[in-house]
Amino acid sequence: MDEVKVVVAHSERATLRVGDVFLKVDADQARIDVEVEAMSLAPVPTPQVLWRRPPVLAIAALPGTTLGSLGGPSTGSPAAWAAAGGTTRRLHQAPLPPLPGRAGRSIAALAAELDDECELLVTSGVLSGGLVTRNAEAEKPATTPPGRSR
């Protein structure tokens, strides 16, 4: 049997790799559903869904060659990196899928949630008001609908 590698693990999700299979364990089935739907709509190659048994999603690794590893030297050619950049550009230029639920909430709902979280960080004393204000100003262009101000 192949080695089990922990790719990421935190309080919401754990992703494991066993050979050419990734197992995503997530207590929020809606988040997995949104991920699978987004992969089906993506204009670039996405992993094949092998099976789903809540709370686990099993997907196949994408074929190809590793371009590099975090902290290590790049093993990919300039042409391979250019191709990866082109694929990333295609994905970023594609329209967002119409996703229901938390992942598909409106910009206004996201902005309101961020405002509430910022207020909580300051009132609880976790972060200073100045730091939160500077960061909130930086995010406003991304969460302010065109023609509106917050």
Side-chain angles (χ1 to χ4, degrees), residues 1-7 15-23:
M1 177 177 205
D2 291 312
E3 177 183 30
V4 175
K5 295 182 181 177
V6 176
V7 177
T15 301
L16 309 171
R17 182 174 186 166
V18 183
D20 287 338
V21 176
F22 288 88
L23 301 171

Side-chain angles (χ1 to χ4, degrees), residues 11-14 24-32 55-56:
S11 63
E12 294 179 352
R13 172 183 277 196
K24 295 186 171 198
V25 183
D26 196 320
D28 184 351
Q29 187 58 44
R31 198 168 25 232
I32 292 283
V56 181

Side-chain angles (χ1 to χ4, degrees), residues 46-129:
T46 60
Q48 174 190 2
V49 174
L50 301 173
W51 51 265
R52 293 168 71 181
R53 291 186 196 111
V56 181
L57 167 67
I59 59 175
L62 286 171
T65 303
T66 302
L67 299 179
S69 296
L70 184 62
S74 171
T75 56
S77 69
W81 279 105
T87 299
T88 303
R89 231 178 342 276
R90 284 183 51 216
L91 182 60
H92 284 205
Q93 291 170 346
L96 291 173
L99 300 174
R102 184 170 168 78
R105 63 194 183 276
S106 69
I107 290 175
L110 174 63
E113 184 178 335
L114 287 171
D115 288 344
D116 291 344
E117 292 294 328
C118 287
E119 182 179 338
L120 180 63
L121 289 170
V122 173
T123 59
S124 66
V126 172
L127 296 173
S128 73

